[in-house]
């Protein structure tokens, strides 16, 4: 497994960051002001299109000033309390710039969903008021009305698209570093296609270099797809299974409109549909299992790990079929299935909604939280209510649908347990399309 070049060639210090001179200057004088004890502003928000170096500059800034980077992906920490505790622990404990100062970094702030991440913005605002450390944020699109309060509380710094000259220097450096032959005209094509997004450009360069061993204009113009189209789940699964080369599978995964947790389920469901040889199936599941481990690691520690997830679930699954390597191999057409879990979640959603309504009504009468009712009262309630349902219905003002829920036999055992786990897992996996897009481009 090769290291993604976007990770390998990520700038280490601010000096390594191409272009962005104004931004670097801004960041330097901001941190200097903190070091002098009179911060020019508590927080800075870097904003601009993907692949312009926002995340890189946060890391480089911390390296340059030998600060410990306390990083959290704002959109992923949908759990308000963990976001808060990560940042608060960092903000409250320790002295100003004690033995080793910290730089708090909230990446992809525009991914915060006010509905799901209820209170996240106000928590960040509170943290801004109390922090002892500089806070850096990054966003692709900060103009969302939900972010207005946040915008007003920080210094906004624009990060512009990378210029062509800078981009060329960047790509050249990599070609030299990797000792691969890159035609100048090929680089021109890549630069043109990437439109200032260096992540795209570097990934593109790597996929050609790895697939063909050299980067020529002819290859680039054949492969370049200026307008990337997002693949639906069926197309994604097909493109992965039908990919003859690793890079094709990788491209399919990173161009998919399906977010990665869900895509894993799609692949998982359809591996035994597509592959016929037991060994192929085994290898494919093995790759997928490892993809899932890296996904967890990406969530826990570093988003850079996500590249491995893509490598494993795209090329890993695609190359599991040994027959593919023979020249006579032909893709077999199969009819793919929806992941069962998705169907189940969909079906049980309505049931869960009804359950939650009942719990709310009970909670109203008992002056107790839904969680408490759910754990302590609801199981007994169901048993009692199914026996003396009429009085109960009247007292709680239950609707016929809610009555139906109570009286249906499966409720007593199944639903309460089963839905509990599925609610938890769905919380962990939902994410907005926009953020998962921007992340999937990292691969
Ligand atoms: N200004 C830059 N100078 C050098 N490399 C860059 C620059 N911008 C981006 N890169 C490269 O592109 C990759 C993606 O950049 P990143 O900082 O993650 O972009 P953003 O956070 O703005 O989407 C980095 O790993 C790095 O290799
Ligand atoms: Mg970023």
């Amino acid at each position: 497994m090769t290291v993604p070049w976007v990770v390998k060639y990520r700038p280490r210090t601010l000096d390594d960051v191409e272009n962005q001179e104004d931004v670097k200057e801004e960041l330097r004088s901001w941190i200097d002001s903190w070091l002098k004890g009179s911060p020019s502003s508590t927080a800075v928000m870097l904003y601009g299109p993907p692949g312009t170096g926002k995340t890189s500059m946060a890391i480089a800034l911390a390296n340059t000033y030998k600060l410990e980077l306390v990083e959290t992906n704002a959109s992923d920490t949908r759990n308000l309390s963990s976001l808060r505790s990560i940042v608060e622990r960092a903000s409250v404990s320790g002295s100003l710039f004690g033995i080793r100062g910290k730089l708090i970094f909230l990446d992809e702030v525009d991914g915060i969903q006010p509905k799901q991440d209820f209170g996240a913005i106000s928590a960040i605002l509170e943290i801004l008021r109390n922090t002892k450390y500089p806070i850096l944020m990054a966003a692709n699109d900060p103009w969302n009305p939900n972010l207005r309060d946040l915008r007003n509380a920080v210094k906004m710094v624009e990060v512009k698209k990378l210029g062509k000259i800078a981009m060329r220097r960047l790509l050249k450096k990599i070609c030299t570093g990797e000792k691969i032959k890159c035609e100048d005209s090929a680089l021109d094509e890549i630069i043109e296609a990437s439109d200032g997004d260096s992540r795209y450009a570097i990934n593109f360069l790597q996929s050609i270099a790895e697939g063909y061993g050299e980067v020529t204009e002819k290859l680039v113009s054949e492969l370049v797809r200026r307008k990337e189209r997002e693949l639906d789940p069926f197309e994604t699964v097909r493109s992965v299974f039908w990919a003859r080369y690793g890079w094709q599978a990788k491209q399919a995964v990173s161009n998919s409109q399906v977010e990665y947790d869900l895509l894993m389920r799609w692949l998982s469901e359809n591996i035994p549909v597509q592959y016929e040889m037991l060994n192929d199936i085994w290898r494919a599941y093995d790759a997928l299992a490892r993809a899932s481990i890296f996904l967890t690691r990406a969530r826990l520690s570093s988003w850079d790990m996500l590249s491995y997830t893509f490598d494993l679930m795209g090329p890993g699954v695609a190359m599991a079929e040994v027959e593919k390597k023979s020249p006579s191999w032909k893709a077999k057409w199969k009819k793919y299935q929806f992941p069962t879990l998705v169907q189940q979640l969909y079906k049980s959603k309505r049931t869960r909604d009804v359950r939650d309504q009942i719990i709310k009504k009970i909670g109203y009468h008992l002056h107790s939280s839904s969680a408490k009712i759910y754990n302590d009262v609801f199981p007994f309630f169901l048993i009692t209510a199914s026996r003396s349902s009429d009085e109960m219905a009247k007292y709680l003002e239950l609707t016929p649908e809610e009555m139906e829920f109570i009286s249906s036999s499966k409720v007593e055992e199944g639903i309460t347990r089963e839905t509990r786990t599925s609610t938890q897992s769905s919380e962990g996996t939902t994410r907005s399309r926009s953020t998962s897009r921007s992340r999937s481009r990292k691969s």
Side-chain angles (χ1 to χ4, degrees):
M1 193 162 44
T2 51
V3 183
W5 292 352
V6 282
V7 176
K8 190 171 172 184
Y9 292 95
R10 175 165 262 165
R12 274 206 33 79
T13 65
L14 282 180
D15 288 334
D16 299 335
V17 175
E18 295 279 357
N19 249 177
Q20 319 300 20
E21 297 309 321
D22 296 349
V23 183
K24 290 194 284 191
E25 198 37 54
E26 191 83 55
L27 290 174
R28 283 199 185 97
S29 64
W30 176 54
I31 293 297
D32 285 339
S33 76
W34 271 85
L35 289 169
K36 282 193 208 110
S38 56
S40 58
S41 58
T42 309
V44 166
M45 186 183 309
L46 300 177
Y47 69 95
T52 49
K54 298 182 293 299
T55 305
S56 300
M57 279 191 277
I59 299 172
L61 184 66
N63 284 340
T64 306
Y65 282 87
K66 309 238 176 331
L67 302 174
E68 181 190 343
L69 191 70
V70 181
E71 182 187 356
T72 162
N73 187 292
S75 67
D76 194 65
T77 322
R78 57 197 66 264
N79 190 330
L80 166 67
S81 57
S82 68
L83 176 71
R84 208 186 213 145
S85 78
I86 291 170
V87 180
E88 255 175 11
R89 216 181 314 126
S91 305
V92 175
S93 72
S95 61
L96 189 55
F97 267 86
I99 297 165
R100 190 167 175 222
K102 292 184 194 331
L103 174 66
I104 296 169
F105 179 44
L106 303 176
D107 206 356
E108 316 213 352
V109 178
D110 48 340
I112 294 176
Q113 304 283 307
K115 278 216 185 85
Q116 286 166 25
D117 313 318
F118 181 73
I121 305 261
S122 56
I124 296 177
L125 289 172
E126 190 192 318
I127 289 155
L128 288 182
R129 282 192 293 273
N130 299 329
T131 184
K132 289 180 179 171
Y133 298 117
I135 298 183
L136 187 60
M137 299 181 212
N140 290 334
D141 170 27
W143 305 118
N144 188 316
N146 298 319
L147 296 178
R148 191 180 45 213
D149 291 346
L150 206 53
R151 280 200 301 271
N152 292 336
V154 304
K155 182 166 172 51
M156 300 288 286
V157 175
E158 185 182 1
V159 182
K160 296 211 173 73
K161 277 184 192 172
L162 230 62
K164 289 188 178 169
I165 298 171
M167 187 83 91
R168 167 178 288 280
R169 257 200 314 266
L170 191 62
L171 296 181
K172 277 252 181 210
K173 221 187 276 172
I174 297 177
C175 291
T176 314
E178 295 296 317
K179 298 191 180 60
I180 41 169
K181 195 178 135 238
C182 303
E183 288 176 4
D184 277 345
S185 50
L187 295 187
D188 285 337
E189 284 262 356
I190 295 178
I191 292 165
E192 196 58 44
S194 57
D195 191 23
D197 179 346
S198 46
R199 179 181 302 117
Y200 177 97
I202 296 171
N203 280 332
F204 196 12
L205 185 75
Q206 184 172 15
S207 53
I208 300 173
E210 280 179 357
Y212 301 91
E214 57 176 1
V215 181
T216 64
E217 189 189 351
K218 186 161 168 288
L219 280 170
V220 177
S221 43
E222 267 169 27
L223 295 170
V224 80
R225 283 194 286 162
R226 267 153 224 252
K227 263 225 147 327
E228 275 180 51
R229 199 171 61 86
E230 295 196 342
L231 305 176
D232 72 23
F234 288 101
E235 288 173 314
T236 314
V237 171
R238 177 146 292 129
S239 311
V240 169
F241 286 135
W242 287 18
R244 199 184 244 284
Y245 303 104
W247 63 265
Q248 290 171 329
K250 189 158 174 176
Q251 210 167 42
V253 172
S254 35
N255 288 346
S256 178
Q257 59 177 226
V258 192
E259 50 132 327
Y260 31 79
D261 299 273
L262 194 56
L263 187 53
M264 271 191 213
R265 298 216 186 98
W266 273 91
L267 290 167
S268 165
E269 186 78 23
N270 290 296
I271 284 170
V273 174
Q274 179 74 45
Y275 293 155
E276 289 164 358
M277 304 302 291
L278 208 53
N279 277 335
D280 293 350
I281 296 176
W282 181 82
R283 267 188 299 274
Y285 276 125
D286 187 50
L288 207 56
R290 283 184 291 140
S292 147
I293 292 172
F294 276 108
L295 182 58
T296 312
R297 288 194 194 154
R299 289 221 164 92
L300 289 177
S301 55
S302 155
W303 284 100
D304 290 341
M305 296 280 181
L306 211 55
S307 312
Y308 299 120
T309 305
F310 288 124
D311 280 342
L312 285 162
M313 73 178 173
V317 170
M319 294 301 126
E321 193 181 20
V322 174
E323 184 58 19
K324 222 168 240 182
K325 290 176 187 120
S326 101
S328 60
W329 174 83
K330 265 209 188 74
K332 291 185 202 71
W333 201 90
K334 298 280 161 97
K335 193 170 177 298
Y336 298 130
Q337 293 166 5
F338 269 96
T340 350
L341 185 65
V342 176
Q343 286 174 325
Q344 274 169 4
L345 280 178
Y346 182 75
K347 266 193 235 147
S348 65
K349 168 84 169 81
R350 182 66 210 153
T351 325
R352 272 184 280 137
D353 287 348
V354 177
R355 181 200 64 194
D356 292 345
Q357 284 159 21
I358 304 175
I359 289 176
K360 242 190 218 141
K361 288 185 181 174
I362 304 174
Y364 176 77
H365 285 277
L366 296 185
H367 305 283
S368 200
S369 76
S370 293
K372 210 165 160 48
I373 298 286
Y374 177 78
N375 287 316
D376 301 347
V377 180
F378 197 54
F380 304 105
F381 166 81
L382 284 175
I383 297 167
T384 327
S386 55
R387 297 209 184 112
S388 54
S389 49
D390 289 351
E391 281 162 63
M392 196 68 81
K394 225 175 182 177
Y395 182 63
L396 289 179
E397 298 173 25
L398 297 177
T399 65
E401 193 182 13
E402 289 158 359
M403 290 297 294
E404 161 82 31
F405 178 94
I406 293 166
S407 59
S408 70
S409 57
K410 64 176 183 210
V411 164
E412 285 183 8
E413 249 309 304
I415 282 293
T416 44
R417 266 181 214 304
E418 179 265 328
T419 48
R420 196 165 174 202
T421 44
S422 55
T423 341
Q424 280 171 349
S425 72
S426 73
E427 269 165 17
T429 55
T430 43
R431 79 164 36 254
S432 80
R433 195 50 230 157
S434 65
T435 57
S436 80
R437 265 310 291 162
S438 66
R439 191 153 301 118
S440 69
R441 313 241 353 226
K442 270 188 185 167
S443 79

